[in-house]
Amino acid sequence: MITIYEEQRTGAKADTVKHSHASLEKCLEVIRKMDGFTCSQISIQHMDNMIMIGGGSQEFIVTVESNTAIHNLLCSTEEEEEEMVELTVGGQACEIPQQYIVSIELVESALLQLLKDTSTELHWEIIKK
């Protein structure tokens, strides 16, 4: 079962809209609506994983938390300079290392891998708990 928790902001106030029994297509629809202002964070619960997606428009960050580890989607395998990018997540401006900023296409590939168990060549940073 897939459950989506979608942030909807009006200024400083945020509401959460819950989409129960969601599909991959519904997840992608909600993510494509993320603009970094009125919606800059969603969470997707699937089995024992919580998939958190922040940002919007053309720049996203993807983190997956399980019982044993935290996985951060990386834009490439190459170590990039520690250039920082400003990204809004959950209504808060954050400075995030460039290596974590991914495109909508990488977000879609990650969801296919996580929700449909497809084999996709993605690069993850894994932090054991």
Side-chain angles (χ1 to χ4, degrees):
M1 183 170 79
I2 300 170
T3 304
I4 306 169
Y5 300 92
E6 175 186 8
E7 169 203 67
Q8 293 185 345
R9 300 192 75 76
T10 306
K13 183 178 177 254
D15 292 314
T16 301
V17 176
K18 180 179 177 181
H19 305 275
S20 299
H21 307 288
S23 63
L24 172 63
E25 291 73 24
K26 182 64 177 177
C27 293
L28 296 174
E29 175 188 323
V30 171
I31 292 165
R32 288 186 192 109
K33 291 189 323 186
M34 293 175 69
D35 61 6
F37 299 103
T38 58
C39 182
S40 62
Q41 180 177 334
I42 69 162
S43 298
I44 301 168
Q45 188 171 8
H46 177 64
M47 299 189 325
D48 291 334
N49 294 327
M50 184 62 80
I51 306 161
M52 294 155 286
I53 302 167
S57 189
Q58 300 299 314
E59 298 181 317
F60 298 88
I61 183 169
V62 178
T63 299
V64 181
E65 188 168 347
S66 69
N67 293 332
T68 59
I70 297 171
H71 297 74
N72 295 309
L73 185 60
L74 300 172
C75 62
S76 70
T77 57
E78 299 175 18
E79 287 295 318
E80 298 188 20
E81 292 181 27
E82 285 299 312
E83 182 179 333
M84 303 298 276
V85 174
E86 190 169 297
L87 189 70
T88 301
V89 178
Q92 299 293 312
C94 307
E95 285 200 355
I96 298 172
Q98 177 71 41
Q99 67 182 359
Y100 297 113
I101 305 298
V102 297
S103 66
I104 187 71
E105 292 82 14
L106 279 179
V107 174
E108 291 175 359
S109 293
L111 286 181
L112 279 169
Q113 183 180 50
L114 296 164
L115 302 178
K116 295 292 185 179
D117 201 27
T118 61
S119 178
T120 308
E121 180 75 25
L122 296 173
H123 307 287
W124 296 90
E125 171 188 60
I126 300 171
I127 303 167
K128 300 284 184 186
K129 288 185 174 181

PDB file of all heavy atoms in Angstrom, residues 86-100:
ATOM      1  N   GLU A  86      20.610  26.563  -2.779  1.00  0.00           N
ATOM      2  CA  GLU A  86      19.492  26.893  -1.893  1.00  0.00           C
ATOM      3  C   GLU A  86      18.235  26.233  -2.444  1.00  0.00           C
ATOM      4  O   GLU A  86      17.906  26.360  -3.624  1.00  0.00           O
ATOM      5  CB  GLU A  86      19.296  28.401  -1.797  1.00  0.00           C
ATOM      6  CG  GLU A  86      18.302  28.756  -0.707  1.00  0.00           C
ATOM      7  CD  GLU A  86      18.278  30.227  -0.391  1.00  0.00           C
ATOM      8  OE1 GLU A  86      19.308  30.755   0.059  1.00  0.00           O
ATOM      9  OE2 GLU A  86      17.208  30.837  -0.602  1.00  0.00           O
ATOM     10  N   LEU A  87      17.548  25.508  -1.571  1.00  0.00           N
ATOM     11  CA  LEU A  87      16.351  24.770  -1.938  1.00  0.00           C
ATOM     12  C   LEU A  87      15.348  24.921  -0.808  1.00  0.00           C
ATOM     13  O   LEU A  87      15.733  24.878   0.366  1.00  0.00           O
ATOM     14  CB  LEU A  87      16.716  23.286  -2.135  1.00  0.00           C
ATOM     15  CG  LEU A  87      15.674  22.358  -2.725  1.00  0.00           C
ATOM     16  CD1 LEU A  87      15.458  22.697  -4.210  1.00  0.00           C
ATOM     17  CD2 LEU A  87      16.128  20.918  -2.614  1.00  0.00           C
ATOM     18  N   THR A  88      14.085  25.098  -1.138  1.00  0.00           N
ATOM     19  CA  THR A  88      13.051  25.190  -0.113  1.00  0.00           C
ATOM     20  C   THR A  88      12.459  23.803   0.107  1.00  0.00           C
ATOM     21  O   THR A  88      12.028  23.143  -0.834  1.00  0.00           O
ATOM     22  CB  THR A  88      11.945  26.179  -0.528  1.00  0.00           C
ATOM     23  OG1 THR A  88      12.540  27.456  -0.730  1.00  0.00           O
ATOM     24  CG2 THR A  88      10.873  26.281   0.543  1.00  0.00           C
ATOM     25  N   VAL A  89      12.475  23.371   1.373  1.00  0.00           N
ATOM     26  CA  VAL A  89      11.929  22.076   1.761  1.00  0.00           C
ATOM     27  C   VAL A  89      11.057  22.299   2.983  1.00  0.00           C
ATOM     28  O   VAL A  89      11.523  22.823   3.990  1.00  0.00           O
ATOM     29  CB  VAL A  89      13.053  21.060   2.078  1.00  0.00           C
ATOM     30  CG1 VAL A  89      12.456  19.733   2.528  1.00  0.00           C
ATOM     31  CG2 VAL A  89      13.966  20.858   0.885  1.00  0.00           C
ATOM     32  N   GLY A  90       9.800  21.929   2.894  1.00  0.00           N
ATOM     33  CA  GLY A  90       8.894  22.121   4.025  1.00  0.00           C
ATOM     34  C   GLY A  90       8.724  23.580   4.397  1.00  0.00           C
ATOM     35  O   GLY A  90       8.540  23.912   5.551  1.00  0.00           O
ATOM     36  N   GLY A  91       8.801  24.466   3.402  1.00  0.00           N
ATOM     37  CA  GLY A  91       8.634  25.890   3.648  1.00  0.00           C
ATOM     38  C   GLY A  91       9.876  26.586   4.179  1.00  0.00           C
ATOM     39  O   GLY A  91       9.856  27.788   4.423  1.00  0.00           O
ATOM     40  N   GLN A  92      10.965  25.857   4.365  1.00  0.00           N
ATOM     41  CA  GLN A  92      12.203  26.419   4.906  1.00  0.00           C
ATOM     42  C   GLN A  92      13.287  26.442   3.832  1.00  0.00           C
ATOM     43  O   GLN A  92      13.509  25.437   3.162  1.00  0.00           O
ATOM     44  CB  GLN A  92      12.701  25.586   6.093  1.00  0.00           C
ATOM     45  CG  GLN A  92      11.750  25.536   7.251  1.00  0.00           C
ATOM     46  CD  GLN A  92      11.590  26.889   7.908  1.00  0.00           C
ATOM     47  OE1 GLN A  92      12.560  27.574   8.198  1.00  0.00           O
ATOM     48  NE2 GLN A  92      10.356  27.284   8.116  1.00  0.00           N
ATOM     49  N   ALA A  93      13.954  27.571   3.705  1.00  0.00           N
ATOM     50  CA  ALA A  93      15.085  27.661   2.784  1.00  0.00           C
ATOM     51  C   ALA A  93      16.254  26.908   3.407  1.00  0.00           C
ATOM     52  O   ALA A  93      16.594  27.121   4.569  1.00  0.00           O
ATOM     53  CB  ALA A  93      15.455  29.114   2.534  1.00  0.00           C
ATOM     54  N   CYS A  94      16.847  26.014   2.646  1.00  0.00           N
ATOM     55  CA  CYS A  94      17.963  25.196   3.125  1.00  0.00           C
ATOM     56  C   CYS A  94      19.106  25.289   2.126  1.00  0.00           C
ATOM     57  O   CYS A  94      18.881  25.397   0.932  1.00  0.00           O
ATOM     58  CB  CYS A  94      17.556  23.722   3.217  1.00  0.00           C
ATOM     59  SG  CYS A  94      16.087  23.394   4.169  1.00  0.00           S
ATOM     60  N   GLU A  95      20.326  25.209   2.624  1.00  0.00           N
ATOM     61  CA  GLU A  95      21.482  25.092   1.743  1.00  0.00           C
ATOM     62  C   GLU A  95      21.880  23.625   1.724  1.00  0.00           C
ATOM     63  O   GLU A  95      22.191  23.046   2.765  1.00  0.00           O
ATOM     64  CB  GLU A  95      22.624  25.978   2.215  1.00  0.00           C
ATOM     65  CG  GLU A  95      22.368  27.433   1.920  1.00  0.00           C
ATOM     66  CD  GLU A  95      23.631  28.272   1.931  1.00  0.00           C
ATOM     67  OE1 GLU A  95      24.717  27.741   2.261  1.00  0.00           O
ATOM     68  OE2 GLU A  95      23.525  29.452   1.617  1.00  0.00           O
ATOM     69  N   ILE A  96      21.862  23.049   0.529  1.00  0.00           N
ATOM     70  CA  ILE A  96      22.073  21.617   0.364  1.00  0.00           C
ATOM     71  C   ILE A  96      23.226  21.413  -0.614  1.00  0.00           C
ATOM     72  O   ILE A  96      23.286  22.092  -1.648  1.00  0.00           O
ATOM     73  CB  ILE A  96      20.785  20.951  -0.166  1.00  0.00           C
ATOM     74  CG1 ILE A  96      19.660  21.150   0.864  1.00  0.00           C
ATOM     75  CG2 ILE A  96      20.999  19.483  -0.476  1.00  0.00           C
ATOM     76  CD1 ILE A  96      18.307  20.738   0.416  1.00  0.00           C
ATOM     77  N   PRO A  97      24.133  20.478  -0.338  1.00  0.00           N
ATOM     78  CA  PRO A  97      25.212  20.200  -1.294  1.00  0.00           C
ATOM     79  C   PRO A  97      24.660  19.805  -2.664  1.00  0.00           C
ATOM     80  O   PRO A  97      23.684  19.057  -2.761  1.00  0.00           O
ATOM     81  CB  PRO A  97      25.974  19.040  -0.651  1.00  0.00           C
ATOM     82  CG  PRO A  97      25.689  19.174   0.818  1.00  0.00           C
ATOM     83  CD  PRO A  97      24.270  19.677   0.890  1.00  0.00           C
ATOM     84  N   GLN A  98      25.290  20.307  -3.702  1.00  0.00           N
ATOM     85  CA  GLN A  98      24.873  20.089  -5.090  1.00  0.00           C
ATOM     86  C   GLN A  98      24.675  18.615  -5.420  1.00  0.00           C
ATOM     87  O   GLN A  98      23.787  18.255  -6.182  1.00  0.00           O
ATOM     88  CB  GLN A  98      25.919  20.704  -6.032  1.00  0.00           C
ATOM     89  CG  GLN A  98      25.636  20.490  -7.508  1.00  0.00           C
ATOM     90  CD  GLN A  98      24.464  21.286  -8.015  1.00  0.00           C
ATOM     91  OE1 GLN A  98      24.307  22.435  -7.648  1.00  0.00           O
ATOM     92  NE2 GLN A  98      23.638  20.681  -8.848  1.00  0.00           N
ATOM     93  N   GLN A  99      25.472  17.731  -4.815  1.00  0.00           N
ATOM     94  CA  GLN A  99      25.394  16.301  -5.156  1.00  0.00           C
ATOM     95  C   GLN A  99      24.040  15.676  -4.831  1.00  0.00           C
ATOM     96  O   GLN A  99      23.697  14.624  -5.359  1.00  0.00           O
ATOM     97  CB  GLN A  99      26.496  15.524  -4.458  1.00  0.00           C
ATOM     98  CG  GLN A  99      26.362  15.465  -2.957  1.00  0.00           C
ATOM     99  CD  GLN A  99      27.505  14.719  -2.296  1.00  0.00           C
ATOM    100  OE1 GLN A  99      28.395  14.232  -2.972  1.00  0.00           O
ATOM    101  NE2 GLN A  99      27.474  14.625  -0.987  1.00  0.00           N
ATOM    102  N   TYR A 100      23.244  16.316  -3.951  1.00  0.00           N
ATOM    103  CA  TYR A 100      21.933  15.786  -3.577  1.00  0.00           C
ATOM    104  C   TYR A 100      20.795  16.340  -4.436  1.00  0.00           C
ATOM    105  O   TYR A 100      19.669  15.865  -4.332  1.00  0.00           O
ATOM    106  CB  TYR A 100      21.623  16.090  -2.119  1.00  0.00           C
ATOM    107  CG  TYR A 100      22.575  15.446  -1.143  1.00  0.00           C
ATOM    108  CD1 TYR A 100      23.436  16.229  -0.372  1.00  0.00           C
ATOM    109  CD2 TYR A 100      22.628  14.073  -0.986  1.00  0.00           C
ATOM    110  CE1 TYR A 100      24.317  15.650   0.533  1.00  0.00           C
ATOM    111  CE2 TYR A 100      23.507  13.484  -0.092  1.00  0.00           C
ATOM    112  CZ  TYR A 100      24.342  14.277   0.664  1.00  0.00           C
ATOM    113  OH  TYR A 100      25.219  13.695   1.549  1.00  0.00           O
TER     114      TYR A 100
END
